[in-house]
Amino acid sequence: MTHLPAKAARVLVTGGAGYIGSHCCKALSRAGMVPVVYDNLSRGHADAVRWGPLVKGDMRDGDRLAQVLKEERIDAVIHFAAFAYVGESVQEPQMYYDNNVGGMIALLGAMQREGVKTLVFSSSCATYGVPDRVPIDETMAQAPINPYGRSKLICEWMMEDAASAWGLNYAALRYFNAAGSDPEFELSERHDPETHLIPLALMAAQGTGAPLQVFGTDYPTPDGTCVRDYIHVSDLARAHVLALDALRGGAGPLKLNLGTGTGTSVQEILDAVERVTGHAVPHQNSPRRAGDPPELVANPGHAREVLGFEARWTNIDEIVGHAAPWFMEAPKVAQG
Ligand code: UFG
């Protein structure tokens, strides 16, 4: 009797052309699964889709999503596609609710129609707002202070209701600050416009960007600058594979913080960038940015218990070091 190999799971990855999504596709492929990317390329990059097919489509197009779930014989979904700039969400709230909440409405409708019941969702520590204490654990109140965080919390509620109504099984993964890039240098972080601290500090240090503005130096933190928990994007990607395996093995619903448990201040990031690049980071002190809580650090204990997940890259210099080559000054053409 011949044994056929077990069927490789086919996973729809919405937003799979983006920063975290593309790293996740690589991790899924390494784990023997087939990532089928669904992305409208408004903020993602087609050349980051390298581990499976790319289907171009909008998140709010429920009929198209249902058609893709059926035609691509999808077993499970990982949903990244969303707008994710805190500052922009404060300026353009309706745009955030339309895309992030509207996208989830269309996705859940399509999944229910096609009988796909497994969903890993890209949530955020922004759903906690300004926490009473750090480190933050999953039992703490979720009270977001900006439209981005609110849109993610609404999506968590929608999944909870879908679980009761029609048996959705889901994992809400609340990321802290995704950072770094693929240690094998196959994928990078590319945002347009770039608003994230580490890329901007690298560009400032290497002379390819403007001096960095340090948003707030009067926070109630040890050096007065904001503290965040920077987790390597390849660690985040691996956590998605573990969450998917756990759901497919019968666990769920899951609500998990993904962080390292260590806080790093803006000033400490500038110091790390200086050590990694050998250049000081030109910077100026600026007012606080709207929507920024002073300190966000994860208690990673629950993800460790449930998934056996532990961040592998915990040294901030290594995390910055994986991102740095992508922000080097382009070689200058000799002028004749
Ligand atoms: N910062 C600066 N100057 C800059 C950019 C950022 O001082 O030019 C500071 C911010 O004020 C913040 C820290 O650096 O204190 C990190 O800022 P990022 O913009 O890199 O990241 P955020 O913390 O704003 O956002 C990230 C994710 C969001 C997520 C959020 C949770 O990008 O998706 O964490 O707070 F929701």
Side-chain angles (χ1 to χ4, degrees):
M1 193 175 123
T2 50
H3 288 278
L4 293 171
K7 183 170 94 58
R10 298 179 64 81
V11 183
L12 188 75
V13 183
T14 76
Y19 170 47
I20 309 176
S22 60
H23 284 79
C24 186
C25 288
K26 178 171 177 177
L28 287 166
S29 170
R30 284 274 163 93
M33 294 184 242
V34 180
V36 177
V37 170
Y38 186 86
D39 201 302
N40 67 0
L41 300 180
S42 71
R43 295 192 175 182
H45 305 275
D47 62 12
V49 182
R50 298 169 51 181
W51 290 275
L54 166 65
V55 178
K56 272 182 79 173
D58 192 276
M59 265 326 289
R60 289 155 300 180
D61 187 346
D63 290 340
R64 177 106 172 97
L65 280 164
Q67 180 194 14
V68 175
L69 290 176
K70 190 184 182 123
E71 285 177 359
E72 294 287 343
R73 304 180 317 281
I74 295 298
D75 300 298
V77 178
I78 304 185
H79 178 36
F80 292 99
F83 290 147
Y85 294 127
V86 170
E88 183 183 63
S89 81
V90 175
Q91 306 300 323
E92 303 277 355
Q94 299 92 300
M95 190 173 109
Y96 271 67
Y97 291 113
D98 181 32
N99 195 42
N100 297 3
V101 179
M104 185 60 113
I105 292 172
L107 177 63
L108 291 176
M111 289 177 70
Q112 183 180 11
R113 255 160 72 188
E114 297 304 324
V116 178
K117 294 192 171 177
T118 305
L119 175 60
V120 177
F121 174 60
S122 163
S123 188
S124 171
C125 65
T127 60
Y128 291 109
V130 182
D132 295 337
R133 57 177 198 279
V134 290
I136 301 172
D137 67 58
E138 292 82 352
T139 63
M140 286 168 61
Q142 288 175 291
I145 60 165
N146 53 59
Y148 167 70
R150 289 186 181 138
S151 73
K152 291 284 176 179
L153 181 55
I154 292 169
C155 290
E156 288 201 17
W157 290 338
M158 290 167 62
M159 292 191 297
E160 212 172 294
D161 293 336
S164 313
W166 52 269
L168 176 75
N169 194 21
Y170 70 93
L173 302 182
R174 298 174 187 153
Y175 320 150
F176 285 64
N177 284 55
S181 42
D182 179 31
E184 291 162 352
F185 300 104
E186 290 187 290
L187 288 165
S188 63
E189 176 170 12
R190 277 178 287 163
H191 295 110
D192 187 16
E194 187 52 79
T195 64
H196 294 94
L197 176 63
I198 294 175
L200 289 176
L202 284 166
M203 289 190 271
Q206 296 179 141
T208 55
L212 185 88
Q213 292 184 55
V214 176
F215 295 139
T217 52
D218 58 350
Y219 282 102
T221 58
D223 64 23
T225 65
C226 279
V227 171
R228 295 286 182 271
D229 182 336
Y230 294 90
I231 176 165
H232 197 293
V233 65
S234 296
D235 279 327
L236 277 183
R238 190 163 46 84
H240 287 72
V241 175
L242 293 172
L244 193 55
D245 282 345
L247 292 180
R248 286 165 57 83
L254 305 174
K255 297 168 187 183
L256 300 172
N257 288 343
L258 295 180
T260 65
T262 301
T264 306
S265 72
V266 172
Q267 182 57 54
E268 287 169 331
I269 293 290
L270 301 199
D271 297 342
V273 169
E274 182 168 345
R275 285 192 297 273
V276 168
T277 62
H279 300 293
V281 181
H283 65 277
Q284 61 202 40
N285 295 341
S286 301
R288 294 181 179 195
R289 185 174 68 176
D292 268 344
E295 187 169 5
L296 294 170
V297 178
N299 177 340
H302 194 44
R304 188 167 51 231
E305 283 156 27
V306 174
L307 302 181
F309 171 73
E310 205 146 4
R312 171 174 172 205
W313 308 100
T314 51
N315 180 323
I316 195 67
D317 288 18
E318 271 183 317
I319 295 176
V320 170
H322 290 158
W326 297 100
F327 298 96
M328 299 282 270
E329 194 167 8
K332 288 201 171 59
V333 178
Q335 300 292 310

